[in-house]
Amino acid sequence: MGSIIRYYRTKLGIKQYELAGDVCSPAHLCKIENNPNEGNDETINLLLEKLGIDLEKELQKESNLKYTYEEFVNNIRFVNIDQAQRQFNTLKNNQVFIELMEFHNHYQIMLIPFYIITEQFKELEDQRNLCNKISKSFNKDESILFEMVKGLYYIHKSNYRKAKIILLDTFKKVNVANVPYRGDMDYALALCYYNLNEYERALNSTIFAYRYYQNEDNFQKIGYCLAVLADSYKNLNLKEEAEITYKKLIRTSEMLGNNKLLNKALYEYGLLQKNKVILEETLTLFDLSLEKNNCDVSIQLELILSKIDLMMKNNINKDKIQKYIQYIKKLSVQIEDRTYYFLALYYEYKIEKPSQVNHFIENKLIPFLEKSDCSSKLIIYYKELADHYESIDLKKSLYYLKKCMHKNNEYSNLAHII
């Protein structure tokens, strides 16, 4: 209560000697305000009474804020973004009181993953700098949490080597059984291994995280783990395990309504299929997903583009592909989004004018994407031009390969970032 007394005394413009009066000495009041163990109940109550503070209301406010903060942390970990945002708004409106409470350092640390999942990147950098400044005031548990969060920060920055070093070092410093948010640590480490092409280690860490998330019914994170598992199996040429895991990912992402994961799972599962019947069934699942999301235009367009790409790679029904292309062009004009129009044109060139597709990529598509907010899509087109020029213009090939590598370091697979 000392912090509460100091807050209201300062707010009301009352000097320490004025409040102390006949209750206690100014020196004793100073100790009460700065040391939670100072002051007996009688003295505290008299000081609160002089300030006009309702003790029950203050205790209830503290209890409510503690509960809100606990829910805020859970919703960050369970990737419930809308709910986390609402709780953040409540906590932000009570920032003064948060600073008086025992969890204030924990709160400052947890704002870093919150800003990552809500894509508030300017706030993220400011918060990271703040936490670095106040890190000397962290207790042991807060320091461990901050190390883990720093690992997540560097994963967000695609600096997987640095993130891996931080996370492994954190594991060495503590009793592994008592690591807070152990599943999150394992999952973060799995992301590092996966993006550093250490797929066997990625599998092991992801399996630990997967079991942890199963025990706490963290279904969104289970879906993310399945994505890493499936991709790791695929990169280790374990086709059967990859297929089984992608099928699990399809079911899980449908249940969660996570359309980014579903789109990825359908596409990757389709690429693995050589059996025409199974491939046609997979393409049908794209249509079912479209029916479920007929109100979300961006999801519709992403699903159709993925389906077109899958059909193109397997030479399936070019007439139907043309219909999809025309549908995307028409819809993108209606919603005034030129990005999807250009991406549809790319596939149109591949079908109707294959000899001109690289000219279109280099002179139309890439310049447009570089100016737009969708520059993360550039990687595949840089790579396509690098491959095209490899045998005819090595200098140009290296130029686009460098751009591809730079962009690849800037962006990561959406299914692998939290």
Side-chain angles (χ1 to χ4, degrees), residues 13 17 51 62-63 69 82 86 92 115 158 178 193 199 219 230 234 263 308 319 322 330 374 389 405:
Y17 73 87
L51 288 168
E62 181 180 14
S63 177
Y69 179 63
D82 291 341
R86 284 195 293 272
K92 189 176 181 181
Y115 288 137
S158 299
N178 295 326
Y193 287 136
Y199 301 120
F219 299 113
K234 181 186 70 175
N263 190 10
I308 288 173
D319 290 337
Q322 283 283 24
K330 181 181 177 181
C374 299
Y389 282 118
M405 291 171 69

Side-chain angles (χ1 to χ4, degrees), residues 3-4 6-7 62 95-102 104:
S3 299
I4 296 290
R6 182 176 67 247
Y7 167 71
E62 181 180 14
Q95 182 70 34
V96 173
F97 294 100
I98 298 291
E99 290 172 3
L100 305 177
M101 295 184 181
E102 60 184 15
H104 67 279

Side-chain angles (χ1 to χ4, degrees), residues 156-318:
H156 160 70
K157 288 294 190 180
S158 299
N159 191 339
Y160 300 106
R161 293 191 186 282
K162 188 161 187 174
K164 174 185 165 183
I165 291 168
I166 290 171
L167 292 166
L168 287 176
D169 190 50
T170 304
F171 268 123
K172 290 176 185 175
K173 290 177 181 176
V174 297
N175 181 345
V176 174
N178 295 326
V179 173
Y181 315 130
R182 170 66 194 274
D184 297 330
M185 287 275 282
D186 283 314
Y187 178 72
L189 200 52
L191 293 179
C192 297
Y193 287 136
Y194 176 84
N195 286 283
L196 294 170
N197 303 326
E198 300 177 52
Y199 301 120
E200 289 185 8
R201 289 181 175 178
L203 280 175
N204 290 333
S205 291
T206 310
I207 288 167
F208 277 118
Y210 181 79
R211 290 172 180 165
Y212 183 92
Y213 293 139
Q214 277 188 317
N215 288 336
E216 63 177 20
D217 295 330
N218 192 337
F219 299 113
Q220 288 284 0
K221 293 285 185 71
I222 287 171
Y224 290 128
C225 284
L226 286 171
V228 181
L229 284 173
D231 286 355
S232 298
Y233 284 134
K234 181 186 70 175
N235 284 294
L236 289 168
N237 294 315
L238 298 170
K239 182 184 173 184
E240 186 177 344
E241 288 84 352
E243 284 188 4
I244 291 168
T245 311
Y246 279 126
K247 286 172 77 173
K248 283 184 181 178
L249 179 57
I250 290 168
R251 292 193 295 271
T252 303
S253 53
E254 279 183 324
M255 179 191 74
L256 295 171
N258 189 326
N259 293 293
K260 285 181 180 177
L261 273 183
L262 178 59
N263 190 10
K264 171 189 168 51
L266 288 170
Y267 179 73
E268 296 290 351
Y269 181 68
L271 286 180
L272 287 173
Q273 297 309 321
K274 302 302 177 189
N275 184 314
K276 286 280 185 182
V277 174
I278 298 177
L279 183 56
E280 288 289 353
E281 288 175 356
T282 306
L283 292 169
T284 302
L285 288 174
F286 275 101
D287 294 329
L288 291 172
S289 298
L290 284 167
E291 290 174 14
K292 292 177 183 176
N293 296 289
N294 57 4
C295 294
D296 194 322
V297 177
S298 62
I299 291 172
Q300 280 191 58
L301 292 170
E302 291 288 349
L303 282 166
I304 295 169
L305 284 170
S306 293
K307 185 172 182 180
I308 288 173
D309 196 69
L310 195 55
M311 293 171 76
M312 290 281 291
K313 284 182 167 67
N314 289 278
N315 293 314
I316 294 175
N317 200 334
K318 289 192 176 181

Side-chain angles (χ1 to χ4, degrees), residues 390-405:
E390 188 175 7
S391 59
I392 56 176
D393 189 336
L394 188 57
K395 190 175 180 180
K396 267 196 171 184
S397 178
L398 289 171
Y399 169 75
Y400 283 111
L401 193 59
K402 284 180 182 178
K403 287 175 82 76
C404 179
M405 291 171 69

Side-chain angles (χ1 to χ4, degrees), residues 132-155:
N132 279 330
K133 287 179 182 177
I134 65 173
S135 59
K136 289 183 179 179
S137 68
F138 295 164
N139 62 33
K140 184 178 179 182
D141 289 341
E142 291 164 350
S143 296
I144 293 168
L145 176 63
F146 185 45
E147 290 302 302
M148 185 190 82
V149 165
K150 278 199 287 188
L152 294 178
Y153 171 81
Y154 284 111
I155 289 171

